[in-house]
Amino acid sequence: MNNLTTTTYFRDDVLLKRPYIRSEGCLKAISHPFRREIQPDGRIRHWIFVDELDRYLRVVTLEDGVTVHNAFPDRRFKP
């Protein structure tokens, strides 16, 4: 995951559960999201459509908007 700032949780848990998550998709979601929302806890959700997954990818960053904490295909997302 080059040029991607991540939390320990993302590196040690999320990537083990979802090895198909790519840094390129996370970076694109952060820089050019289809939609962005701030969660009540201050973390930020970014969505982007990923052709390889045929789904929207939700990338959750910390309050700084760049440190990736979680990422997963979002089955419930409605564009």
Side-chain angles (χ1 to χ4, degrees), residues 10-77:
F10 183 79
R11 289 187 302 273
D12 295 348
D13 292 49
V14 174
L15 288 179
L16 287 178
K17 289 188 290 188
R18 304 179 194 112
Y20 51 85
I21 300 292
R22 301 285 178 241
S23 62
E24 297 82 12
C26 294
L27 289 168
K28 190 173 179 183
I30 294 169
S31 62
H32 298 91
F34 176 79
R35 185 179 299 165
R36 180 179 292 145
E37 292 178 3
I38 298 175
Q39 298 181 172
D41 64 2
R43 292 178 180 168
I44 305 168
R45 297 174 180 163
H46 314 258
W47 286 272
I48 190 165
F49 189 81
V50 177
D51 290 333
E52 295 82 19
L53 301 175
D54 196 29
R55 293 191 188 275
Y56 280 87
L57 177 69
R58 183 194 301 188
V59 177
V60 179
T61 62
L62 299 183
E63 297 85 349
D64 63 10
V66 295
T67 305
V68 177
H69 181 67
N70 201 356
F72 55 92
D74 193 342
R75 293 180 293 158
R76 298 182 189 163
F77 181 74

